């Protein structure tokens, strides 16, 4: 008798079985994107040939962009791919436990579960430690980030939303930062989340750990389109576009929060291009029903239950037209329910 392996459902924002949402608040992609220069580079990529298997030119560009030695730059197929790869490495090196932020990206825990790592209650008891700043889903600073750093552990700082930080700075000294593996995924900041490519800046003295991580990677983890996006990421033109666009995002975010508050929703503070909110529900209506009815009108929000925040949603900042569509749809649902 044959057995079908169970399928594990991962909870993410973005398109779903119903297709691409007309107004998608469920992802944290840059709402002003895609970045024109980065998009053009991706569209012009030569997909008829393999990339250089060593990514020599790309790694040099990324190293120069960050002002680090080229040996510290490691390519990854995506942030999620690296999360699973470094978790595997931690187990190979004898790790027994992982530390996770109280509310964090689900793939950290998924990878730990796949490799049978226990979750430590305190960071000092874990050989693999995760941080994200600004964090997801809250978009907040990681508290006491400097206390997490430990050269004897694998400490990873997910910097997916650093380019989309709308206020404040990373509260970490340059010296403390050298203890972290810095994970960068520019596709969100460029509005190109469909292009999967990431890179890591290793600690200065990573040594054999970096070699092992490289050995665990498949050949050509990043395809031609990912290479083109990462190369564009390092250019002055793209960085200038990003810097200018943040002013627009700040205006849109203030408007979106104000609109949510008019709707009676409670918004949590955030430093990034997204925030969490607790919707005002019609009497007796569960949150899942509200989200389903909004989805039926082409509007998708991200339920944060899987992040450990039941009763709330994470909302990427979108343009005013999308905000108004959400407001009108919510009013329609309220009127119908009363």
């Amino acid at each position: 008798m044959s057995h079908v392996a169970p399928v594990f459902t991962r909870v993410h924002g973005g398109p779903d079985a119903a297709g691409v949402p007309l107004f998608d608040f469920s992802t944290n992609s840059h709402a002003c994107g895609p970045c024109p220069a980065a998009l053009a580079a991706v569209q012009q990529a030569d997909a008829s040939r393999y990339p250089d298997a060593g990514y020599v030119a790309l790694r040099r560009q990324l190293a120069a962009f960050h002002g680090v030695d080229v040996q510290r730059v490691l390519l990854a197929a995506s942030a999620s791919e690296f999360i699973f790869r470094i978790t595997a490495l931690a187990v190979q090196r004898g790790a027994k436990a992982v530390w996770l932020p109280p509310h964090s990206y689900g793939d950290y825990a998924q990878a730990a579960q796949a490799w049978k790592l226990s979750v430590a209650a305190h960071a000092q008891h874990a050989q693999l430690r995760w941080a994200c700043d600004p964090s997801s889903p809250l978009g907040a600073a990681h508290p006491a980030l400097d206390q997490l750093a430990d050269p004897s552990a694998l400490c990873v700082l997910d910097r997916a939303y650093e380019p989309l930080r709308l206020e404040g700075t990373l509260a970490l000294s340059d010296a403390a930062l050298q203890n972290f593996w810095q994970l960068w995924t520019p596709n969100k900041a460029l509005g190109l989340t469909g292009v999967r490519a990431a890179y890591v800046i290793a600690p200065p003295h990573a040594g054999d750990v970096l070699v092992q991580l490289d050995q665990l990677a498949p050949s050509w983890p990043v395809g031609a389109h990912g290479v083109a996006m990462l190369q564009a990421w390092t250019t002055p033109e793209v960085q200038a576009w990003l810097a200018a666009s943040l002013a627009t995002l700040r205006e849109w975010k203030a408007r979106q929060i104000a609109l949510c508050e008019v709707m009676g929703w409670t918004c949590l503070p955030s430093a990034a291009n997204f925030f969490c909110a607790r919707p005002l529900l019609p009497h007796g209506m569960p949150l899942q029903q509200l989200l389903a009815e909004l989805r039926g009108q082409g509007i998708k929000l991200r339920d944060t239950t899987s992040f450990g925040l039941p009763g709330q949603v994470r909302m990427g900042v979108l343009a005013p037209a999308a905000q108004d569509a959400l407001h009108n749809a919510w009013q329609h649902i309220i009127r119908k329910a009363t």
Side-chain angles (χ1 to χ4, degrees), residues 86-88 90-91 94-99 108-109 111-120 127-128 130:
I86 199 169
T87 302
V91 173
K96 302 298 181 184
V98 62
W99 185 84
Y108 306 157
Q113 182 181 17
W115 285 99
K116 297 181 171 55
L117 285 176
S118 62
V119 178
Q127 298 78 40
L128 175 62
W130 289 99

PDB file of all heavy atoms in Angstrom, residues 86-88 90-91 94-99 108-109 111-120 127-128 130:
ATOM      1  N   ILE A  86      21.667  27.636   5.920  1.00  0.00           N
ATOM      2  CA  ILE A  86      22.466  27.887   7.118  1.00  0.00           C
ATOM      3  C   ILE A  86      21.931  27.084   8.302  1.00  0.00           C
ATOM      4  O   ILE A  86      22.699  26.732   9.212  1.00  0.00           O
ATOM      5  CB  ILE A  86      22.538  29.398   7.438  1.00  0.00           C
ATOM      6  CG1 ILE A  86      23.725  29.661   8.384  1.00  0.00           C
ATOM      7  CG2 ILE A  86      21.227  29.915   8.020  1.00  0.00           C
ATOM      8  CD1 ILE A  86      24.080  31.119   8.562  1.00  0.00           C
ATOM      9  N   THR A  87      20.644  26.758   8.285  1.00  0.00           N
ATOM     10  CA  THR A  87      20.112  25.873   9.327  1.00  0.00           C
ATOM     11  C   THR A  87      20.717  24.485   9.194  1.00  0.00           C
ATOM     12  O   THR A  87      21.109  23.856  10.186  1.00  0.00           O
ATOM     13  CB  THR A  87      18.581  25.803   9.239  1.00  0.00           C
ATOM     14  OG1 THR A  87      18.032  27.123   9.360  1.00  0.00           O
ATOM     15  CG2 THR A  87      18.008  24.938  10.366  1.00  0.00           C
ATOM     16  N   ALA A  88      20.825  23.998   7.959  1.00  0.00           N
ATOM     17  CA  ALA A  88      21.466  22.701   7.717  1.00  0.00           C
ATOM     18  C   ALA A  88      22.915  22.728   8.182  1.00  0.00           C
ATOM     19  O   ALA A  88      23.409  21.767   8.799  1.00  0.00           O
ATOM     20  CB  ALA A  88      21.383  22.346   6.235  1.00  0.00           C
ATOM     21  N   ALA A  90      24.204  24.660  10.502  1.00  0.00           N
ATOM     22  CA  ALA A  90      24.233  24.695  11.966  1.00  0.00           C
ATOM     23  C   ALA A  90      24.113  23.284  12.539  1.00  0.00           C
ATOM     24  O   ALA A  90      24.829  22.921  13.478  1.00  0.00           O
ATOM     25  CB  ALA A  90      23.101  25.586  12.488  1.00  0.00           C
ATOM     26  N   VAL A  91      23.231  22.473  11.966  1.00  0.00           N
ATOM     27  CA  VAL A  91      23.065  21.092  12.429  1.00  0.00           C
ATOM     28  C   VAL A  91      24.332  20.285  12.162  1.00  0.00           C
ATOM     29  O   VAL A  91      24.791  19.516  13.013  1.00  0.00           O
ATOM     30  CB  VAL A  91      21.839  20.445  11.750  1.00  0.00           C
ATOM     31  CG1 VAL A  91      21.753  18.955  12.077  1.00  0.00           C
ATOM     32  CG2 VAL A  91      20.558  21.154  12.189  1.00  0.00           C
ATOM     33  N   GLY A  94      26.803  20.745  14.788  1.00  0.00           N
ATOM     34  CA  GLY A  94      26.452  20.307  16.132  1.00  0.00           C
ATOM     35  C   GLY A  94      25.395  21.111  16.842  1.00  0.00           C
ATOM     36  O   GLY A  94      25.154  20.894  18.045  1.00  0.00           O
ATOM     37  N   ALA A  95      24.727  22.026  16.156  1.00  0.00           N
ATOM     38  CA  ALA A  95      23.684  22.821  16.809  1.00  0.00           C
ATOM     39  C   ALA A  95      22.532  21.942  17.286  1.00  0.00           C
ATOM     40  O   ALA A  95      22.139  20.992  16.600  1.00  0.00           O
ATOM     41  CB  ALA A  95      23.160  23.891  15.853  1.00  0.00           C
ATOM     42  N   LYS A  96      22.004  22.271  18.442  1.00  0.00           N
ATOM     43  CA  LYS A  96      20.864  21.562  19.008  1.00  0.00           C
ATOM     44  C   LYS A  96      19.627  22.455  19.135  1.00  0.00           C
ATOM     45  O   LYS A  96      18.503  21.950  19.245  1.00  0.00           O
ATOM     46  CB  LYS A  96      21.209  21.015  20.400  1.00  0.00           C
ATOM     47  CG  LYS A  96      22.406  20.063  20.420  1.00  0.00           C
ATOM     48  CD  LYS A  96      22.150  18.823  19.586  1.00  0.00           C
ATOM     49  CE  LYS A  96      23.342  17.868  19.633  1.00  0.00           C
ATOM     50  NZ  LYS A  96      23.140  16.692  18.749  1.00  0.00           N
ATOM     51  N   ALA A  97      19.851  23.762  19.134  1.00  0.00           N
ATOM     52  CA  ALA A  97      18.736  24.682  19.372  1.00  0.00           C
ATOM     53  C   ALA A  97      18.874  25.939  18.528  1.00  0.00           C
ATOM     54  O   ALA A  97      19.977  26.349  18.144  1.00  0.00           O
ATOM     55  CB  ALA A  97      18.653  25.052  20.854  1.00  0.00           C
ATOM     56  N   VAL A  98      17.738  26.548  18.238  1.00  0.00           N
ATOM     57  CA  VAL A  98      17.665  27.796  17.497  1.00  0.00           C
ATOM     58  C   VAL A  98      16.910  28.803  18.350  1.00  0.00           C
ATOM     59  O   VAL A  98      16.028  28.433  19.138  1.00  0.00           O
ATOM     60  CB  VAL A  98      16.952  27.587  16.141  1.00  0.00           C
ATOM     61  CG1 VAL A  98      15.513  27.124  16.334  1.00  0.00           C
ATOM     62  CG2 VAL A  98      16.970  28.862  15.294  1.00  0.00           C
ATOM     63  N   TRP A  99      17.270  30.079  18.217  1.00  0.00           N
ATOM     64  CA  TRP A  99      16.506  31.130  18.876  1.00  0.00           C
ATOM     65  C   TRP A  99      15.807  31.955  17.818  1.00  0.00           C
ATOM     66  O   TRP A  99      16.408  32.348  16.810  1.00  0.00           O
ATOM     67  CB  TRP A  99      17.399  32.042  19.720  1.00  0.00           C
ATOM     68  CG  TRP A  99      16.575  33.039  20.487  1.00  0.00           C
ATOM     69  CD1 TRP A  99      15.947  32.859  21.689  1.00  0.00           C
ATOM     70  CD2 TRP A  99      16.252  34.378  20.071  1.00  0.00           C
ATOM     71  NE1 TRP A  99      15.253  33.989  22.045  1.00  0.00           N
ATOM     72  CE2 TRP A  99      15.419  34.932  21.082  1.00  0.00           C
ATOM     73  CE3 TRP A  99      16.582  35.137  18.955  1.00  0.00           C
ATOM     74  CZ2 TRP A  99      14.938  36.227  20.996  1.00  0.00           C
ATOM     75  CZ3 TRP A  99      16.084  36.435  18.873  1.00  0.00           C
ATOM     76  CH2 TRP A  99      15.273  36.975  19.878  1.00  0.00           C
ATOM     77  N   TYR A 108      12.073  30.730   9.264  1.00  0.00           N
ATOM     78  CA  TYR A 108      13.068  30.453  10.301  1.00  0.00           C
ATOM     79  C   TYR A 108      12.658  29.207  11.085  1.00  0.00           C
ATOM     80  O   TYR A 108      13.456  28.288  11.287  1.00  0.00           O
ATOM     81  CB  TYR A 108      13.197  31.617  11.295  1.00  0.00           C
ATOM     82  CG  TYR A 108      13.477  32.986  10.738  1.00  0.00           C
ATOM     83  CD1 TYR A 108      13.131  34.120  11.474  1.00  0.00           C
ATOM     84  CD2 TYR A 108      14.096  33.187   9.505  1.00  0.00           C
ATOM     85  CE1 TYR A 108      13.382  35.395  11.019  1.00  0.00           C
ATOM     86  CE2 TYR A 108      14.354  34.464   9.033  1.00  0.00           C
ATOM     87  CZ  TYR A 108      13.978  35.567   9.786  1.00  0.00           C
ATOM     88  OH  TYR A 108      14.230  36.835   9.327  1.00  0.00           O
ATOM     89  N   ALA A 109      11.409  29.209  11.532  1.00  0.00           N
ATOM     90  CA  ALA A 109      10.901  28.078  12.315  1.00  0.00           C
ATOM     91  C   ALA A 109      10.716  26.833  11.454  1.00  0.00           C
ATOM     92  O   ALA A 109      10.952  25.710  11.905  1.00  0.00           O
ATOM     93  CB  ALA A 109       9.580  28.457  12.987  1.00  0.00           C
ATOM     94  N   ALA A 111      12.476  25.889   8.843  1.00  0.00           N
ATOM     95  CA  ALA A 111      13.776  25.251   8.639  1.00  0.00           C
ATOM     96  C   ALA A 111      14.238  24.533   9.897  1.00  0.00           C
ATOM     97  O   ALA A 111      14.779  23.423   9.832  1.00  0.00           O
ATOM     98  CB  ALA A 111      14.805  26.297   8.211  1.00  0.00           C
ATOM     99  N   ALA A 112      14.026  25.169  11.053  1.00  0.00           N
ATOM    100  CA  ALA A 112      14.414  24.536  12.314  1.00  0.00           C
ATOM    101  C   ALA A 112      13.634  23.241  12.535  1.00  0.00           C
ATOM    102  O   ALA A 112      14.210  22.228  12.966  1.00  0.00           O
ATOM    103  CB  ALA A 112      14.170  25.500  13.470  1.00  0.00           C
ATOM    104  N   GLN A 113      12.357  23.266  12.218  1.00  0.00           N
ATOM    105  CA  GLN A 113      11.538  22.065  12.375  1.00  0.00           C
ATOM    106  C   GLN A 113      12.003  20.970  11.424  1.00  0.00           C
ATOM    107  O   GLN A 113      12.077  19.791  11.802  1.00  0.00           O
ATOM    108  CB  GLN A 113      10.070  22.403  12.119  1.00  0.00           C
ATOM    109  CG  GLN A 113       9.119  21.227  12.311  1.00  0.00           C
ATOM    110  CD  GLN A 113       7.671  21.607  12.030  1.00  0.00           C
ATOM    111  OE1 GLN A 113       7.395  22.629  11.404  1.00  0.00           O
ATOM    112  NE2 GLN A 113       6.744  20.793  12.491  1.00  0.00           N
ATOM    113  N   ALA A 114      12.316  21.350  10.188  1.00  0.00           N
ATOM    114  CA  ALA A 114      12.761  20.359   9.212  1.00  0.00           C
ATOM    115  C   ALA A 114      14.042  19.668   9.656  1.00  0.00           C
ATOM    116  O   ALA A 114      14.247  18.474   9.377  1.00  0.00           O
ATOM    117  CB  ALA A 114      12.972  21.030   7.851  1.00  0.00           C
ATOM    118  N   TRP A 115      14.902  20.410  10.371  1.00  0.00           N
ATOM    119  CA  TRP A 115      16.176  19.848  10.832  1.00  0.00           C
ATOM    120  C   TRP A 115      16.123  19.431  12.295  1.00  0.00           C
ATOM    121  O   TRP A 115      17.158  19.146  12.892  1.00  0.00           O
ATOM    122  CB  TRP A 115      17.301  20.846  10.584  1.00  0.00           C
ATOM    123  CG  TRP A 115      17.682  20.904   9.134  1.00  0.00           C
ATOM    124  CD1 TRP A 115      17.298  21.817   8.203  1.00  0.00           C
ATOM    125  CD2 TRP A 115      18.505  19.956   8.446  1.00  0.00           C
ATOM    126  NE1 TRP A 115      17.821  21.517   6.981  1.00  0.00           N
ATOM    127  CE2 TRP A 115      18.571  20.373   7.090  1.00  0.00           C
ATOM    128  CE3 TRP A 115      19.190  18.815   8.822  1.00  0.00           C
ATOM    129  CZ2 TRP A 115      19.297  19.679   6.129  1.00  0.00           C
ATOM    130  CZ3 TRP A 115      19.915  18.116   7.875  1.00  0.00           C
ATOM    131  CH2 TRP A 115      19.968  18.555   6.541  1.00  0.00           C
ATOM    132  N   LYS A 116      14.906  19.435  12.855  1.00  0.00           N
ATOM    133  CA  LYS A 116      14.683  18.924  14.217  1.00  0.00           C
ATOM    134  C   LYS A 116      15.493  19.674  15.282  1.00  0.00           C
ATOM    135  O   LYS A 116      15.983  19.086  16.251  1.00  0.00           O
ATOM    136  CB  LYS A 116      14.968  17.414  14.288  1.00  0.00           C
ATOM    137  CG  LYS A 116      14.034  16.582  13.417  1.00  0.00           C
ATOM    138  CD  LYS A 116      14.324  15.103  13.511  1.00  0.00           C
ATOM    139  CE  LYS A 116      13.251  14.280  12.808  1.00  0.00           C
ATOM    140  NZ  LYS A 116      13.041  14.652  11.398  1.00  0.00           N
ATOM    141  N   LEU A 117      15.619  20.969  15.091  1.00  0.00           N
ATOM    142  CA  LEU A 117      16.221  21.814  16.112  1.00  0.00           C
ATOM    143  C   LEU A 117      15.153  22.229  17.113  1.00  0.00           C
ATOM    144  O   LEU A 117      14.030  22.598  16.734  1.00  0.00           O
ATOM    145  CB  LEU A 117      16.831  23.069  15.494  1.00  0.00           C
ATOM    146  CG  LEU A 117      18.150  22.927  14.723  1.00  0.00           C
ATOM    147  CD1 LEU A 117      18.536  24.262  14.118  1.00  0.00           C
ATOM    148  CD2 LEU A 117      19.253  22.411  15.628  1.00  0.00           C
ATOM    149  N   SER A 118      15.477  22.205  18.375  1.00  0.00           N
ATOM    150  CA  SER A 118      14.553  22.711  19.376  1.00  0.00           C
ATOM    151  C   SER A 118      14.633  24.238  19.391  1.00  0.00           C
ATOM    152  O   SER A 118      15.636  24.821  18.974  1.00  0.00           O
ATOM    153  CB  SER A 118      14.887  22.150  20.752  1.00  0.00           C
ATOM    154  OG  SER A 118      16.184  22.570  21.154  1.00  0.00           O
ATOM    155  N   VAL A 119      13.576  24.875  19.869  1.00  0.00           N
ATOM    156  CA  VAL A 119      13.535  26.338  19.947  1.00  0.00           C
ATOM    157  C   VAL A 119      13.872  26.754  21.371  1.00  0.00           C
ATOM    158  O   VAL A 119      13.166  26.385  22.318  1.00  0.00           O
ATOM    159  CB  VAL A 119      12.162  26.880  19.539  1.00  0.00           C
ATOM    160  CG1 VAL A 119      12.122  28.402  19.679  1.00  0.00           C
ATOM    161  CG2 VAL A 119      11.832  26.476  18.104  1.00  0.00           C
ATOM    162  N   ALA A 120      14.965  27.473  21.521  1.00  0.00           N
ATOM    163  CA  ALA A 120      15.417  27.895  22.845  1.00  0.00           C
ATOM    164  C   ALA A 120      14.625  29.095  23.341  1.00  0.00           C
ATOM    165  O   ALA A 120      14.269  29.985  22.561  1.00  0.00           O
ATOM    166  CB  ALA A 120      16.908  28.233  22.806  1.00  0.00           C
ATOM    167  N   GLN A 127      22.553  27.787  19.345  1.00  0.00           N
ATOM    168  CA  GLN A 127      23.744  27.880  18.504  1.00  0.00           C
ATOM    169  C   GLN A 127      23.448  28.575  17.166  1.00  0.00           C
ATOM    170  O   GLN A 127      24.363  28.940  16.435  1.00  0.00           O
ATOM    171  CB  GLN A 127      24.307  26.483  18.235  1.00  0.00           C
ATOM    172  CG  GLN A 127      24.765  25.740  19.480  1.00  0.00           C
ATOM    173  CD  GLN A 127      23.607  25.142  20.276  1.00  0.00           C
ATOM    174  OE1 GLN A 127      22.648  24.616  19.700  1.00  0.00           O
ATOM    175  NE2 GLN A 127      23.688  25.237  21.595  1.00  0.00           N
ATOM    176  N   LEU A 128      22.163  28.743  16.845  1.00  0.00           N
ATOM    177  CA  LEU A 128      21.717  29.495  15.671  1.00  0.00           C
ATOM    178  C   LEU A 128      20.713  30.528  16.148  1.00  0.00           C
ATOM    179  O   LEU A 128      19.734  30.189  16.826  1.00  0.00           O
ATOM    180  CB  LEU A 128      21.075  28.559  14.638  1.00  0.00           C
ATOM    181  CG  LEU A 128      20.447  29.218  13.405  1.00  0.00           C
ATOM    182  CD1 LEU A 128      21.490  29.982  12.593  1.00  0.00           C
ATOM    183  CD2 LEU A 128      19.748  28.176  12.525  1.00  0.00           C
ATOM    184  N   TRP A 130      18.368  34.119  15.151  1.00  0.00           N
ATOM    185  CA  TRP A 130      17.803  34.921  14.069  1.00  0.00           C
ATOM    186  C   TRP A 130      17.382  36.298  14.571  1.00  0.00           C
ATOM    187  O   TRP A 130      16.840  36.435  15.666  1.00  0.00           O
ATOM    188  CB  TRP A 130      16.581  34.218  13.464  1.00  0.00           C
ATOM    189  CG  TRP A 130      16.940  33.008  12.670  1.00  0.00           C
ATOM    190  CD1 TRP A 130      16.887  31.704  13.062  1.00  0.00           C
ATOM    191  CD2 TRP A 130      17.434  33.000  11.322  1.00  0.00           C
ATOM    192  NE1 TRP A 130      17.317  30.880  12.052  1.00  0.00           N
ATOM    193  CE2 TRP A 130      17.658  31.645  10.969  1.00  0.00           C
ATOM    194  CE3 TRP A 130      17.716  33.993  10.389  1.00  0.00           C
ATOM    195  CZ2 TRP A 130      18.141  31.270   9.729  1.00  0.00           C
ATOM    196  CZ3 TRP A 130      18.200  33.613   9.144  1.00  0.00           C
ATOM    197  CH2 TRP A 130      18.406  32.270   8.825  1.00  0.00           C
TER     198      TRP A 130
END
